[in-house]
Amino acid sequence: MEYIVTKNEMQAIDTCTIEKVGIPQAVLMERAALAVVEEVEKLNPHKGRILIAVEGGNNGGDGLAAARMLSERGYPVDIYYVGAITNVSEQFELQKNIITQIGQRLRKAIPNKDYAVIVDGIFGVGLSREVEGSQKKAIEVLNQMKGIKVAIDIPSGLDATTGEILGIAFRADYTVTFGFKKLGMFFGSGIDCCGKIICRNIGFPNVSFQSVKPKIYTYDEQDLDKLPKRFNNSNKGSYGKVAVVAGSKNMSGAAFLCAKAAYSTGVGLVKIYTHESNRVVLQSQLPEAIMMTYDDYEGALACVEDVAKWASVIVVGPGLGVDSTSERMLYELLMNSEVPMVLDADALNILSNNIGMLKTCSVPIVMTPHMKEMSRLIGKSVENIAKDRFAIAKKFAREYEVSLVLKDAKSIVTNGGEHTYVNLAGNNGMSTGGSGDVLAGIIAGMLAGGLDLIEAARIGTYVHCLAGDKAAEKKGKYAMLASDIISSLGEVMRNA
């Protein structure tokens, strides 16, 4: 498990470390600079020329200290000082004096030279205003230059909490950040501005972390020990029965992907409830699945009645359609089922016309809307949700007493509690049809294996994206399909 911090949380950790613990800011700055130097050395083994751009704050102080260390290690270094801040920080002034004493020059313009590495030390995590004037011009020029681009702590111009670009932002190939990754690196424009994120420990003590108690966290591969356990003395009945209510007329794909994903996470039995037109193709694609079909309203209600008696977990929605039959099936399941449910895709679209139905349902529910589906559910634009996604997701989960997986490039999972899970695994190759159906099946599989609602949603989301990363390694991000994610699940879960 790894915590991700907001701008305010990082500033509070920094302040506690300096003012309460007593570690001097100059010590932290030297450690930060050393971390940058070590990463730049890896990127520039042939000691090509380096440009370090700084401004008069503490981030600029980090840049000056890094420039000094790199110069001492034999690298040719030019320092460009923007100089638009009137009241420079104490630590910047200290580093500037040191630079002057050792004979290094601060340039007032960007030299017309070729650089192997360009280091951005203009603004840090504290930036909260639009970048303008000479500072904006400097970032524009740096972005146009050739060379490996490295940001110190966070790309200049990027909001450290939201990932919003404040006028303009440095576009880094690498970001060397300190202590903790910042939330804004993974949302909005942060995903594309930060490049590869390298987090370095520079000595923030645990007491500083505990004084702030960050609320957002992510998983790493050590957390795969949270997966459902399997036992030698078991049979297919030991690992649950997942009902997949999916697939309207001639829409078999979503049902197949969801059902196969559930089986691939260890479920004992999967039964697909779908339109009769899908029977032949599904039986040929997934012969392991049991099947019950309908071709009229009465048949659909008979399926619903069977679901309620048979399943230990129910998935509703993939490819189901939004006609009156699908609507009635969903409402009957919500009212009469007694087992956990995963609501996805068309189930969410149906609920967007009558969200109050959730409040009449007493069974545990996981909902998996992407941003557009969430927009329909709550009547807010995608843009507005994106600006305040954590608060909106938590409020929705509390109000309707559900576990919510809000899907996006980086998904978040919450049940309305104090802490929120953010998923940092995955890649843009997963932006393909059927990926969400696979996720719904995986979460159902985790529930069938015995995990509680919120843990099934968290670990299911994480495993889904780890499998997506494995698929991208094999197929490439352009060519991978949703079925490739399923094929990679075994590799992810094999040694857990």
Side-chain angles (χ1 to χ4, degrees), residues 29-104:
M29 185 167 284
E30 289 293 302
R31 291 174 177 172
L34 180 60
V36 172
V37 167
E38 290 172 349
E39 297 303 330
V40 168
E41 285 186 311
K42 295 174 188 176
L43 298 170
N44 187 18
H46 302 298
K47 295 194 172 181
R49 183 169 289 277
I50 299 168
L51 174 66
I52 299 183
V54 302
E55 186 53 292
N58 287 341
N59 196 254
D62 293 338
L64 292 180
R68 164 171 45 86
M69 295 177 189
L70 285 164
S71 181
E72 290 172 349
R73 296 184 183 202
Y75 288 84
V77 179
D78 291 334
I79 304 169
Y80 166 52
Y81 175 31
V82 182
I85 295 178
T86 304
N87 298 315
V88 303
S89 73
E90 180 181 339
Q91 292 302 315
F92 177 83
E93 192 63 42
L94 173 64
Q95 295 294 340
K96 183 182 174 185
N97 289 337
I98 295 172
I99 283 286
T100 302
Q101 290 297 322
I102 64 175
Q104 281 186 281

Side-chain angles (χ1 to χ4, degrees), residues 140-404:
E140 286 176 348
V141 173
L142 294 174
N143 282 340
Q144 293 168 5
M145 295 174 67
K146 294 180 180 180
I148 299 171
K149 296 185 173 69
V150 179
I152 297 177
D153 209 11
I154 195 165
S156 292
L158 191 69
D159 187 289
T161 297
T162 67
E164 177 186 0
I165 291 178
L166 301 173
I168 190 172
F170 184 76
R171 294 194 171 271
D173 300 304
Y174 298 86
T175 296
V176 183
T177 198
F178 311 126
F180 306 90
K181 295 171 184 173
K182 283 67 180 178
L183 188 61
M185 295 174 168
F186 306 104
F187 294 95
S189 298
I191 297 174
D192 293 314
C193 284
C194 291
K196 181 179 179 181
I197 298 166
I198 302 164
C199 189
R200 295 290 301 266
N201 179 7
I202 63 169
F204 294 111
N206 189 55
V207 66
S208 298
F209 170 82
Q210 292 297 336
S211 71
V212 175
K213 297 179 179 178
K215 304 297 190 295
I216 298 167
Y217 64 96
T218 190
Y219 281 166
D220 55 38
E221 293 197 17
Q222 292 182 353
D223 291 292
L224 290 175
D225 64 3
K226 295 177 170 65
L227 287 170
K229 305 305 177 188
R230 298 185 73 84
F231 306 96
N232 292 329
N233 184 22
S234 63
N235 55 59
K236 63 188 176 185
S238 305
Y239 302 111
K241 297 186 290 185
V242 171
V244 176
V245 184
S248 57
K249 187 175 181 179
N250 297 320
M251 292 288 290
S252 63
F256 163 73
L257 291 167
C258 183
K260 187 170 183 180
Y263 258 137
S264 297
T265 55
V267 172
L269 286 169
V270 177
K271 190 170 184 177
I272 303 173
Y273 297 82
T274 190
H275 193 275
E276 173 62 27
S277 62
N278 300 322
R279 176 189 291 277
V280 174
V281 66
L282 286 173
Q283 285 181 328
S284 63
Q285 287 180 317
L286 193 63
E288 298 91 343
I290 311 167
M291 192 168 300
M292 183 173 179
T293 64
Y294 61 90
D295 59 7
D296 57 21
Y297 188 78
E298 287 73 22
L301 293 184
C303 283
V304 167
E305 186 176 348
D306 190 81
V307 170
K309 295 176 182 177
W310 183 84
S312 60
V313 177
I314 304 168
V315 183
V316 190
L320 187 63
V322 293
D323 60 15
S324 58
T325 299
S326 301
E327 188 174 312
R328 180 64 184 274
M329 291 175 77
L330 174 61
Y331 291 166
E332 289 293 331
L333 287 167
L334 287 172
M335 295 300 294
N336 299 313
S337 299
E338 298 179 356
V339 298
M341 299 177 66
V342 180
L343 304 183
D344 183 48
D346 285 330
L348 304 174
N349 294 327
I350 292 168
L351 281 174
S352 66
N353 294 319
N354 189 2
I355 192 66
M357 279 295 299
L358 283 177
K359 292 190 174 181
T360 66
C361 175
S362 60
V363 300
I365 289 177
V366 178
M367 299 178 68
T368 60
H370 55 59
M371 294 290 278
K372 189 63 177 177
E373 289 166 340
M374 191 68 180
S375 174
R376 288 192 287 265
L377 284 167
I378 65 175
K380 289 179 181 266
S381 70
V382 170
E383 292 74 18
N384 285 337
I385 295 171
K387 289 178 181 178
D388 201 19
R389 72 183 73 212
F390 286 84
I392 288 171
K394 288 176 71 170
K395 179 182 177 183
F396 184 93
R398 281 196 302 268
E399 182 176 355
Y400 295 102
E401 298 182 354
V402 300
S403 289
L404 182 73

